[in-house]
Amino acid sequence: MTGKECDSMNIRKRLAVSAAALAVGSGLAFAPLASAAPQAAAAGCAYPYVCFYKGSTKTGQFKDVTSGWQSLGASKGATSMVNTRRDDVVYTHFTNGKTWCTPPKTTTTFNSWVVDKVRISSASRC
C-alpha cells in the first residue's frame, strides 16, 4: 500500500467514526426506524388500522383519527407499529417526551424508546 492509499483509508475511518459519534451524540442512533409496510395484512393488520406489536405478537390496533393522544394500554412498550392507512400519518409519543411521525403504508421499529401514546392524523405527510 502506498502512503497516499494508507492516508486515504485513515481519513475514511476517521470520518466513519466521527459520523457514528455524531449520530449517537444527537440521539439519532436510538430514534425509531421507518420502512415501507411489507405485507401488513399478512402480519394481522388490515387497512385501515394502525397496529402495535411486541415481537411478533399483536398487542393492539387503532383506527380513529383524533386531535389528542390515545393511551396504548397493552401496547405500551411495543417494539413495532404498522400503519396500513393510505393517506394518514401516525404520531407516536414516547415516555422520554419525544414524538415520531410515521407516514402512510409504513412500518416503524421502536429501538430503545418506550412508546406510550398514539395519535392518527388526517395529514398525508409528516
Side-chain angles (χ1 to χ4, degrees):
M1 214 184 274
T2 69
K4 286 183 180 180
E5 289 172 333
C6 187
D7 287 343
S8 177
M9 282 183 54
N10 286 336
I11 290 170
R12 283 193 298 252
K13 285 180 184 176
R14 281 189 227 138
L15 286 173
V17 169
S18 295
L22 178 63
V24 169
S26 65
L28 294 176
F30 300 107
L33 302 173
S35 63
Q39 303 166 332
C45 190
Y47 173 83
Y49 289 97
V50 173
C51 301
F52 288 86
Y53 296 85
K54 289 183 181 175
S56 60
T57 302
K58 184 164 78 169
T59 56
Q61 62 185 27
F62 298 80
K63 72 174 184 175
D64 296 333
V65 172
T66 61
S67 60
W69 295 105
Q70 299 179 71
S71 292
L72 291 182
S75 293
K76 180 179 179 181
T79 56
S80 64
M81 178 198 72
V82 176
N83 178 7
T84 66
R85 299 176 76 93
R86 296 180 184 122
D87 298 318
D88 303 325
V89 300
V90 177
Y91 292 97
T92 44
H93 180 275
F94 301 90
T95 57
N96 64 5
K98 296 186 184 284
T99 59
W100 185 262
C101 181
T102 300
K105 300 184 225 172
T106 304
T107 296
T108 297
T109 301
F110 306 120
N111 293 324
S112 62
W113 295 359
V114 178
V115 63
D116 62 352
K117 299 174 188 172
V118 64
R119 182 169 63 86
I120 301 172
S121 169
S122 60
S124 60
R125 293 185 181 171
C126 289

